[in-house]
Structures are given as C-alpha cells and as structure tokens.
C-alpha cells in the first residue's frame, strides 16, 4: 500500500485499519495476453511509467475519468489508480463492471 493510501487510514485503531484495508481493497486481473501500459495520469497523453507483464493483477485505489480507450473489456474513459502517480485504462482490467468499482480519485 502506498504512503498516500496508508495516510487515509490514520486515526483508526491499528487492528481496525488493517481490517478495513484488507476488506476494501482487492486485486483485479489484467486482460489475458496483454502487457499493459501504466501512465503517470488518466490518459494516453501522459508519460509511460512502466509496462505490466502478461498475467498481472492490479489493486485499484480509486478511479477517475480520462482519455477514452477501447480494449478487451469495452470502451471506457475510466482510469484506475494502481499506485501513486500510476494509472491504467479500465478497458484492460477485469473488474466485472462497466462503471466505477472504487471511489473517484480526489
């Protein structure tokens, strides 16, 4: 869990924060056979940060609108924040939904 996301849990008892974090966050599979570009912001115009390997799973902390992308799981403008300053298009992540599955990024 990144520092920014850990700070969101401050102010709670240690056991409560761990339980809340474990129950609220889950990992999602990236589309099979895809090496997914990770961008510095919610769009294809942002810098490439890294590339996830085939078979990767991602934890989504929050989501925000950005560039519309077509992929294996549809066409969407939703981008998933997977770490500090790291976003992937939701069109390549199997969330089981065409909409938001996590809170919007602030």
């Amino acid at each position: 869990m990144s520092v920014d996301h850990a700070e969101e849990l401050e102010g709670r008892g240690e056991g409560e924060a761990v339980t809340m974090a474990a129950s609220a966050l889950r990992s999602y599979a990236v589309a099979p056979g895809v090496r997914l570009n990770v961008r510095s912001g919610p769009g294809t115009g942002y810098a490439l940060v890294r590339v996830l390997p085939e078979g990767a799973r991602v934890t989504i902390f929050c989501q925000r609108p950005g560039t519309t992308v077509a992929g294996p799981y549809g066409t969407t403008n939703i981008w998933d924040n997977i770490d500090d300053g790291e976003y992937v298009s939701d069109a390549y992540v199997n969330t089981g939904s065409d909409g938001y599955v996590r809170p919007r990024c602030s």
Side-chain angles (χ1 to χ4, degrees), residues 38-94:
V38 179
R39 303 278 180 178
S40 63
T44 56
Y46 287 87
L48 182 64
V49 174
R50 62 186 171 120
V51 178
L52 297 177
E54 291 183 28
R57 296 185 67 85
V58 295
T59 300
I60 302 171
F61 294 102
C62 61
Q63 295 174 297
R64 69 180 340 145
T67 305
T68 299
V69 173
Y73 300 115
T75 300
T76 184
N77 72 335
I78 298 173
W79 285 74
D80 305 329
N81 174 248
I82 62 168
D83 206 344
D84 294 331
E86 295 189 356
Y87 292 84
V88 295
S89 172
D90 197 61
Y92 288 89
V93 180
N94 187 6

Side-chain angles (χ1 to χ4, degrees), residues 21-34:
S23 66
L25 298 176
R26 60 177 277 211
S27 67
Y28 299 90
V30 171
V34 171

Side-chain angles (χ1 to χ4, degrees), residues 4-22:
D4 286 348
H5 301 295
E7 289 172 1
E8 293 172 6
L9 300 176
E10 286 182 6
R12 294 185 167 88
E14 184 177 336
E16 182 183 351
V18 170
T19 302
M20 182 181 157

